[in-house]
Structures are given as structure tokens and as C-alpha cells.
């Protein structure tokens, strides 16, 4: 349920409505927009008729949110969310590119990649220190040592850091190093992990599960938001289909659909979707044309030697080329690159 306040309603009126809702057992989420304040009330809607909200001064209307996700829905917040992190605005006019290796492999590899992607125009460095691998015999990541290399790269380049959290036990440690916490596709419905990142004061990049519907994905976002963290960046990274030439199937239709249903920013990871570097730049451009707010791209200084996801990683030269081609598309859709 949302309570739309009249644009002239002052804090006293807003507080009175909140007090009444809280007394009736509702959980409150306040959204102060430029135009008006919206009070989100989560609880048993059968009681809402009894507390006379519509008669209260300052209340314009009471609207039920029909979708199962409430805080993530456009009904709750009409304007798109712009996430402010380390001087960047994600979800605004500027398209941001996060780039870097699949996994942090060594200090040299991370620092070299950071310099390369920064020069090409990326604003965020990606790299996993904890890797969710299909095989327990594959490289699992450098863990805290890898986080230290990422932090050093941030100090040297000014890039922000996005890195994956896989386990509730390591959330506090990773949050000390990272600017943005990534929830990987395989963990999209790890509800205890979602609840844990909800308590952290850092934005969360929430990947879509390989077999998750849009509604399930938005419900995962709802878990984090209802726990108090509203700064969520959704990331489409390909879903399972019958097609096996590509690693996954990039669902570009999800971009306009999610943007219609939700106010959260959406970025696209064509690297994991396609799984073959050759097709990554084309789909990166397609994603921006379809309205994505940013990209997550795997780049490795020497892809054939990569410990993880070499076949989908762009070389520095190919990343540079992609970034300059991207510029044209970004301008064509009326947006900017940093
Ligand atoms: C990654 O970004 O390195 C990753 C493991 O991606 P996903 O969770 O989308 O497979
Ligand atoms: Mn990868």
C-alpha cells in the first residue's frame, strides 16, 4: 500500500500518518520525491480501511500495490532511482562501464587491467576475489589478498570496486574493501545472503539468476530493500535457454520491461550472457540502445592465460575499440559517457 501525500503536506502531517500506520502494525518506507512524499506501508491490508487514512489531512490518495514486489515497483516510486556512489551517479544521464577480469589473479594483473580500463573510459573496476565456480577443482579466488589488490588498484586509479560476495560470513570483510557488492547469478535467491547485504551501507549489484523470471529477480531486490538497503543495481547477465552456441541467452527484453515495472537502475553483462568475446561489443551496444544504464564487461590483459572466463574476455585493444564505438550509441540515445 502506498499513501501519496499532497505536495503541500508538511512534516507534521506526514509524521501523523506514519504514527497511525505504525500503531496499526505497518512497516514504513518513506520516499521523499521532488514533487511529493510517498509513504510505503507494508502489512496486512485488511486493516487499512479501519484506520481512516483517506480522511487524514495531507493525504491525497491511498493506492494498493498489486505486484508482490512493493518497494522495487514503479508504483512506489515513479522517478528512476539514481544511485550515488563514490562521486558517480548510476541510473542518471551518464552510462557507466564496470570492467576488469573475471577473477583477481595477481597484483600485476589487477593493476595492469585497472590502468587499461580506466584509460578507455571505465569508471568501475570489476574482479572476483571469491569465485563461484561450477567445479570445486577450478581456481576459487585469492580471497582477502585479492581484495587488497583491488583496493590498491582503486587507490592508484580512482576507479570504484565491484566484487562478488558469496557467503554471509564474508560480507563484513568484503564490504570493507568494495564500493559495490555483487550478488552473483547463482546466489540471486540465497535469501540469507540477500538479508545480510541489506544491512550494509553499500550499493548492491544484483545479478539475475540464470533461470529466474523478472518477477523473481525483482522479489530478490525486494528482500534487500525491505531490509533497509535501497541502493540496488539490477544486472541482466543472460538466462538459460535451449540455445547452446552461446553460453546463455541475453534477455534484452528484460531492460524495457524491468524499467517499466521498477525504478531501479539496470545494467547489462554481455560477457557472461554470450560467453564468446567476439560478440560482446555488439551486444554491449545493443544493451545501451535498449536503455541499459551501464555495462559490466570482462577484460583481461592476456585472455588465453586467464584462470577464469578467458574465452569471453576482451583484450585491452578490443575493449578500447568497444568503448569508442559505444560513444556513438550513447549519444544517439541522448545519454553521456563520463
Ligand atoms: C561474475 O561476474 O564473475 C560472475 C560469476 O557472474 P554470474 O554470477 O553472472 O555468473
Ligand atoms: Mn566471469
Amino acid at each position: 500500500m502506498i499513501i501519496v501525500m499532497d505536495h503541500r503536506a508538511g512534516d507534521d502531517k506526514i509524521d501523523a500518518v506514519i504514527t497511525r500506520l505504525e500503531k496499526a502494525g505497518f512497516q514504513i518506507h518513506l520516499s521523499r520525491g521532488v514533487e511529493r512524499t510517498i509513504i510505503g506501508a507494508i502489512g496486512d491490508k485488511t486493516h487499512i480501511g479501519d484506520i481512516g487514512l483517506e480522511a487524514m489531512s495531507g493525504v491525497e490518495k491511498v493506492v494498493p500495490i498489486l505486484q508482490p514486489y512493493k518497494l522495487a515497483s514503479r508504483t512506489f516510486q515513479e522517478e528512476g532511482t539514481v544511485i550515488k556512489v563514490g562521486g558517480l551517479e548510476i541510473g542518471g544521464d551518464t552510462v557507466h562501464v564496470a570492467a576488469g577480469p573475471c577473477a583477481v589473479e595477481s597484483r600485476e594483473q589487477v593493476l595492469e587491467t585497472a590502468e587499461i580500463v580506466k584509460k578507455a573510459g571505465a569508471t568501475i573496476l570489476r574482479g572476483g576475489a571469491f569465485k563461484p565456480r561450477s567445479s570445486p577443482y577450478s581456481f576459487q579466488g585469492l580471497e582477502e589478498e585479492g581484495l587488497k589488490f583491488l583496493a590498491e588498484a582503486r587507490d592508484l586509479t580512482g576507479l570504484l570496486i565491484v566484487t562478488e560476495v558469496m557467503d554471509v560470513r564474508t560480507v563484513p570483510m568484503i564490504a570493507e574493501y568494495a564500493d559495490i557488492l555483487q550478488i552473483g547469478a547463482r546466489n540471486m535467491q540465497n535469501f540469507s545472503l540477500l538479508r545480510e547485504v541489506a544491512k550494509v551501507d553499500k550499493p548492491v549489484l544484483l545479478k539475475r539468476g540464470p533461470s529466474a523470471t523478472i518477477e523473481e529477480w525483482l522479489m530478490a531486490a525486494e528482500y534487500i530493500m525491505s531490509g533497509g538497503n535501497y541502493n540496488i543495481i539490477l544486472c541482466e547477465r543472460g538466462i538459460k535457454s535451449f540455445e547452446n552456441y552461446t553460453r546463455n541467452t541475453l534477455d534484452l527484453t528484460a531492460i524495457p520491461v524491468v524499467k517499466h515495472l521498477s525504478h531501479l537502475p539496470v545494467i547489462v553483462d554481455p560477457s557472461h550472457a554470450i560467453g564468446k568475446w567476439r560478440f560482446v561489443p555488439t551486444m554491449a551496444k545493443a544493451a545501451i540502445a535498449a536503455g541499459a544504464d551501464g555495462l559490466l564487461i570482462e577484460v583481461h590483459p592476456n585472455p588465453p592465460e586467464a584462470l577464469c572466463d578467458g574465452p569471453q574476455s576482451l583484450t585491452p585493444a578490443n575493449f578500447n575499440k568497444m568503448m569508442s564505438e559505444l560513444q556513438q550509441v550513447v549519444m544517439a540515445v541522448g545519454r553521456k559517457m563520463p
Side-chain angles (χ1 to χ4, degrees):
M1 193 79 52
I2 60 171
I3 295 90
V4 181
M5 299 300 291
D6 186 277
H7 68 276
R8 288 159 307 205
D11 282 350
D12 53 332
K13 304 216 162 105
I14 294 168
D15 289 346
V17 173
I18 291 176
T19 307
R20 190 168 295 185
L21 282 163
E22 280 176 342
K23 271 203 189 127
F26 288 89
Q27 200 197 337
I28 303 303
H29 296 266
L30 202 59
S31 164
R32 284 185 192 272
V34 196
E35 291 287 314
R36 60 187 75 236
T37 294
I38 287 176
I39 302 167
I42 304 211
D44 183 354
K45 69 170 186 277
T46 52
H47 299 321
I48 206 93
D50 307 337
I51 59 174
L53 282 181
E54 253 151 350
M56 287 183 81
S57 163
V59 172
E60 188 178 298
K61 57 184 172 179
V62 178
V63 188
I65 303 182
L66 300 174
Q67 295 99 331
Y69 44 89
K70 313 286 179 196
L71 305 170
S73 76
R74 273 263 182 218
T75 322
F76 176 61
Q77 184 187 303
E78 217 171 298
E79 316 105 72
T81 286
V82 178
I83 294 174
K84 296 189 176 70
V85 52
L88 307 184
E89 291 195 347
I90 300 170
D93 284 346
T94 304
V95 166
H96 287 284
V97 177
C102 179
V104 176
E105 298 169 6
S106 68
R107 180 172 176 270
E108 294 66 36
Q109 174 239 21
V110 170
L111 298 188
E112 187 186 344
T113 314
E115 295 286 356
I116 290 163
V117 302
K118 161 93 187 185
K119 227 171 163 182
T123 44
I124 305 166
L125 176 67
R126 63 143 291 143
F130 294 84
K131 293 304 304 174
R133 303 304 300 276
S134 301
S135 164
Y137 309 116
S138 302
F139 175 61
Q140 305 285 309
L142 295 181
E143 305 191 346
E144 191 167 9
E145 193 189 15
L147 297 174
K148 292 195 167 126
F149 297 153
L150 288 169
E152 193 180 343
R154 172 182 44 213
D155 293 345
L156 288 172
T157 60
L159 292 168
L160 301 190
I161 301 299
V162 60
T163 196
E164 179 162 352
V165 287
M166 292 203 333
D167 187 314
V168 288
R169 290 168 297 188
T170 53
V171 169
M173 190 241 284
I174 297 174
E176 274 182 42
Y177 294 94
D179 300 290
I180 303 171
L181 301 176
Q182 176 172 326
I183 300 279
R186 293 159 190 80
N187 270 317
M188 190 206 82
Q189 283 188 319
N190 180 338
F191 300 116
S192 17
L193 186 58
L194 299 178
R195 285 214 166 92
E196 204 59 29
V197 296
K199 297 182 211 152
V200 178
D201 188 22
K202 296 265 162 106
V204 175
L205 189 154
L206 178 64
K207 287 204 161 190
R208 180 182 185 179
S211 51
T213 63
I214 287 171
E215 186 169 302
E216 286 164 336
W217 187 18
L218 291 173
M219 288 308 286
E222 189 77 11
Y223 259 89
I224 305 172
M225 298 180 87
S226 63
N229 188 347
Y230 289 25
N231 290 321
I232 298 168
I233 305 155
L234 298 166
C235 179
E236 161 62 39
R237 48 76 73 202
I239 51 176
K240 296 261 184 227
S241 78
F242 54 80
E243 181 52 66
N244 59 11
Y245 184 79
T246 52
R247 186 175 178 182
N248 291 285
T249 294
L250 180 58
D251 181 13
L252 287 182
T253 58
I255 306 167
V257 173
V258 170
K259 289 209 153 267
H260 171 70
L261 297 173
S262 174
H263 53 85
L264 294 171
V266 183
I267 71 163
V268 169
D269 170 355
S271 307
H272 288 89
I274 297 141
K276 292 179 161 87
W277 70 267
R278 182 179 304 280
F279 308 112
V280 167
T282 305
M283 298 318 289
K285 287 180 266 181
I288 298 303
D293 296 297
L295 295 164
L296 188 69
I297 306 283
E298 284 189 343
V299 178
H300 195 284
N302 186 8
E305 296 292 313
L307 296 181
C308 182
D309 287 348
Q312 68 194 32
S313 299
L314 295 182
T315 59
N318 284 329
F319 182 65
N320 271 324
K321 186 161 176 276
M322 185 203 85
M323 290 296 276
S324 52
E325 290 167 5
L326 206 57
Q327 195 91 33
Q328 312 281 320
V329 181
V330 168
M331 272 157 48
V333 293
R335 301 184 83 168
K336 297 185 285 199
M337 277 184 81

